[in-house]
Amino acid sequence: AGCPYLDSFAQALGFTLVAINGQPSGYLPREPEPRPRNALQMASFIRHVKGHVGFVLSSDLGRLSLVTEDGEPASEEYTFPLIARHVLRKDAGPVVTNCCTTRMVDDIAAARGVPVVKTAVGQAFVMARVADEQGLIGGEGSGSVARPSFSQAFDGFLMMALILEAMAESGQRMSDLVRSLPKYHMV
């Protein structure tokens, strides 16, 4: 959905973009969800182009997963915690997420002394509670994030920009940022 805007996005933020499957043809040659198994094309490619981060987006640009500069796909569960930690370093406020998102979000919010509000699964539930609670940020473990100060919906361009900003401001590589998060396993 965002293909027509990728080049102008990269140009506006001043980075070089190498798009894979960046044609708005209506055909996506992988499953539309940004899960690690769907990031294999990016993972095999990123080291060869000396990329700093790979972004694997859902077909509707509402979910994002990451690939490190080493070619390691990160679960979509890492997207919201990475962005929440970055946002909470600059500002404080409630974090809204659904009841099945990784505990990493709870740990990050606790470290910053802000509440976590849990909702049912789904963007509508999260965004309604963001509005009700005057949330700073909302998201889900599906790789979705929204900032109400920017948009009332999950937004792939916002997520990419915040990840790039987190990397630039911290001076850390994507692999370092991923490794610095608490580790949990789903059972």
Side-chain angles (χ1 to χ4, degrees):
C3 291
Y5 310 104
L6 288 171
D7 288 334
S8 57
F9 175 74
Q11 194 171 48
L13 271 67
F15 69 91
T16 302
L17 170 76
V18 179
I20 300 173
N21 304 320
Q23 299 80 29
S25 65
Y27 171 73
L28 190 61
R30 61 168 174 80
E31 292 179 45
E33 299 300 320
R35 296 188 175 119
R37 69 175 176 262
N38 299 328
L40 297 178
Q41 190 177 26
M42 174 72 70
S44 67
F45 180 77
I46 195 164
R47 289 177 64 199
H48 298 291
V49 297
K50 296 181 171 59
H52 296 277
V53 61
F55 297 116
V56 182
L57 294 153
S58 61
S59 57
D60 65 358
L61 218 70
R63 294 169 306 283
L64 170 74
S65 70
L66 304 160
V67 177
T68 70
E69 74 284 351
D70 298 326
E72 284 295 319
S75 166
E76 66 278 12
E77 286 283 346
Y78 285 82
T79 303
F80 186 36
L82 284 168
I83 293 172
R85 180 176 62 188
H86 174 64
V87 168
L88 288 170
R89 285 184 173 147
K90 298 174 176 221
D91 204 357
V95 175
V96 180
T97 191
N98 69 32
C99 58
C100 66
T101 294
T102 175
R103 184 176 164 180
M104 288 185 276
V105 173
D106 299 75
D107 292 351
I108 289 164
R112 297 287 180 218
V114 299
V116 175
V117 178
K118 301 285 183 159
T119 73
V121 175
Q123 178 175 332
F125 293 111
V126 171
M127 294 314 300
R129 286 300 289 275
V130 164
D132 291 346
E133 303 288 335
Q134 297 181 336
L136 177 68
I137 190 168
E140 295 188 310
S142 62
S144 304
V145 178
R147 288 282 319 263
S149 61
F150 180 80
S151 171
Q152 295 295 317
F154 298 152
D155 186 297
F157 286 109
L158 172 68
M159 291 182 267
M160 289 187 289
L162 290 170
I163 290 291
L164 291 169
E165 183 180 70
M167 292 173 65
E169 289 181 0
S170 71
Q172 292 185 305
R173 301 176 312 152
M174 178 56 26
S175 59
D176 297 327
L177 291 174
V178 168
R179 274 193 296 272
S180 69
L181 289 172
K183 299 292 184 254
Y184 293 100
H185 299 280
M186 287 191 230
V187 177

